[in-house]
């Protein structure tokens, strides 16, 4: 695993954008209209830049997988975070959807673990490179990083295939939230720290 530098920013955005194009949670976060592709890019840019402010953007050694994962100790830059959030609302979420997103985030927070943890915000492998071990290697390195700090690795996923992928690597679902019929979010963490 390598820590992504600002020179890697566009590559990280490209990998995550391709990986999350059809992701239910990513698409639920953005306004669905003719500008959907640009709105998804804005969401990914927001996440990547937030990760950089928290010293938590990584690439697999082969450069085919990317992750945003950070420690609770990394607080970012509150003023920059606020401006970035306003930009995200304006360019991706839409002002008319702010109430929905605030209610959703409130429910997500109620279900999140209350213990300090490493938060895996995004993990993706470029679709053309999936199945070659890049994402697995990156996840294994992130689990080791969290273990080195005696913290669990925590994430949320809305894809059944992701649940199986993470369970094979020692993570468990500790709760599920059905947002609506056919759209569930699973809250997962490493088994090491319960």
């Amino acid at each position: 695993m390598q820590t992504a530098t600002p020179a890697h920013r566009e590559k990280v955005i490209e990998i995550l954008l391709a990986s999350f194009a059809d992701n239910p949670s990513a698409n639920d976060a953005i306004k669905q209209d003719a500008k959907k592709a640009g709105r998804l890019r804005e969401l990914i840019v927001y996440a990547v830049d937030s990760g950089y402010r928290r010293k938590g953007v990584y690439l697999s050694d082969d450069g085919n997988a990317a992750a945003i994962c950070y420690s609770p100790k990394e607080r970012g830059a509150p003023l920059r975070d606020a401006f970035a959030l306003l930009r995200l609302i304006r360019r991706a979420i839409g002002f008319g959807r702010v109430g929905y997103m605030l209610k959703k985030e409130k429910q997500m927070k109620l279900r999140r673990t209350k213990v300090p943890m490493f938060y895996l915000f995004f993990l993706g492998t470029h679709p053309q490179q999936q199945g070659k071990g890049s994402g697995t290697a990156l996840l294994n390195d992130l689990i080791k990083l969290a273990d080195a700090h005696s913290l669990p690795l925590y994430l949320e996923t809305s894809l059944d295939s992701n649940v199986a992928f993470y369970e094979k690597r020692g993570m468990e679902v500790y709760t599920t939230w059905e947002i609506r019929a056919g759209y569930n979010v699973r809250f997962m963490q490493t088994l090491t720290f319960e």
Side-chain angles (χ1 to χ4, degrees), residues 35-80:
K35 299 177 183 178
K36 176 184 165 184
R39 294 181 189 285
L40 183 60
R41 180 175 172 77
E42 287 295 330
L43 174 66
I44 299 298
V45 166
Y46 169 82
V48 170
D49 290 346
S50 177
Y52 275 117
R53 286 191 297 277
R54 288 164 177 77
K55 303 175 187 163
V57 182
Y58 302 94
L59 283 168
S60 59
D61 288 329
D62 64 8
N64 292 321
I68 302 168
C69 182
Y70 44 82
S71 161
K73 296 176 187 172
E74 299 299 336
R75 299 286 180 199
L79 188 57
R80 289 181 81 187

Side-chain angles (χ1 to χ4, degrees), residues 89-150:
I89 291 168
R90 186 169 61 86
R91 294 186 175 184
I93 295 171
F95 288 102
R97 299 184 71 250
V98 171
Y100 166 74
M101 291 304 295
L102 288 173
K103 288 177 187 174
K104 181 180 172 184
E105 183 59 25
K106 181 180 179 181
Q107 290 299 315
M108 298 282 281
K109 282 183 179 180
L110 290 173
R111 290 164 173 83
R112 288 185 181 128
T113 183
K114 306 300 184 246
V115 300
M117 58 19 194
F118 264 78
Y119 180 53
L120 181 53
F121 192 21
F122 279 85
L123 171 66
T125 302
H126 197 284
Q128 295 173 342
Q129 300 299 321
Q130 288 179 355
K132 298 179 182 178
S134 302
T136 298
L138 184 53
L139 177 60
N140 290 339
D141 288 341
L142 293 169
I143 290 171
K144 288 176 190 172
L145 178 65
D147 283 349
H149 289 88
S150 298

Side-chain angles (χ1 to χ4, degrees), residues 13-48:
I13 290 169
E14 175 193 333
I15 291 168
L16 295 177
L17 188 56
S19 301
F20 284 83
D22 297 320
N23 182 281
S25 291
N27 280 284
D28 187 56
I30 61 173
K31 185 176 179 180
Q32 300 295 305
D33 61 10
K35 299 177 183 178
K36 176 184 165 184
R39 294 181 189 285
L40 183 60
R41 180 175 172 77
E42 287 295 330
L43 174 66
I44 299 298
V45 166
Y46 169 82
V48 170

